[in-house]
Amino acid sequence: MDVTLQDITEENFEDFMAMELPEHQRDLLASNAYSIAQSRFYPDYIPRAVYCDGAPAGFLLYDRRADDVEGDYAIYRFMVDHPRQGRGIGRRAMELLLAELRARPDMRRITICYHERNARAKAFYAGFGFVETGVDERGEMVAELRA
């Protein structure tokens, strides 16, 4: 299985806008279409396409200046298209993303938020070393990795 992260471009954005989560996960994450639109208006928001064996498989969005702080990165969206979930694509994509962010010379901290009731997300991110730091103003759990 060859998983890669690539840019969202004029040629591929429609493949990622159409991706969906299973019904029971849809209220846990904003749509890819919304996230792609955000990235066009917020220059520090970086969308990335997840490919598996050359085919579109998922999407992620991160902020390279979370709360306008240099060196603070925030992962705002992370999803694998529902027909492709459960195959290790998400795990490999997260490994690639974290390597990409850790390679940046200014990286000090990476945060991610998820619904407190999302036990799978909690276990998934903890497996990468994310440590919960508390609940934010929207009621989501915040977890972080330090450099």
Side-chain angles (χ1 to χ4, degrees):
M1 173 176 64
D2 180 36
V3 176
T4 59
L5 300 182
Q6 299 179 28
D7 292 332
I8 296 289
T9 66
E10 185 176 348
E11 291 76 31
N12 70 8
F13 81 95
E14 289 183 8
D15 292 331
F16 298 92
M17 289 181 62
M19 288 182 177
E20 293 185 342
L21 293 168
E23 185 68 38
H24 68 280
Q25 294 177 353
R26 288 190 186 144
D27 66 332
L28 301 177
L29 195 65
S31 73
N32 292 352
Y34 181 79
S35 299
I36 291 168
Q38 282 182 302
S39 74
R40 297 304 176 233
F41 294 102
Y42 298 102
D44 290 322
Y45 285 25
I46 309 300
R48 301 289 277 149
V50 178
Y51 281 84
C52 180
D53 296 329
F59 175 83
L60 60 92
L61 177 77
Y62 70 87
D63 183 351
R64 62 182 166 205
R65 285 176 37 101
D67 296 324
D68 294 324
V69 176
E70 293 290 333
D72 279 8
Y73 291 77
I75 302 168
Y76 292 145
R77 310 286 187 280
F78 184 78
M79 66 88 71
V80 173
D81 198 21
H82 72 92
R84 307 200 69 173
Q85 289 183 2
R87 299 180 190 174
I89 296 168
R91 179 159 303 286
R92 182 66 184 131
M94 181 58 72
E95 290 170 354
L96 293 170
L97 175 61
L98 293 178
E100 183 176 302
L101 297 181
R102 286 179 168 139
R104 295 180 176 263
D106 69 339
M107 198 292 285
R108 295 178 317 158
R109 181 172 80 131
I110 303 168
T111 59
I112 194 157
C113 296
Y114 47 88
H115 288 278
E116 283 185 280
R117 64 185 165 92
N118 191 341
R120 291 184 74 195
K122 176 180 179 169
F124 180 78
Y125 298 125
F128 290 98
F130 280 91
V131 176
E132 293 182 341
T133 60
V135 177
D136 69 9
E137 66 279 355
R138 295 180 313 271
E140 292 188 333
M141 180 57 67
V142 179
E144 71 177 22
L145 276 174
R146 293 268 176 185

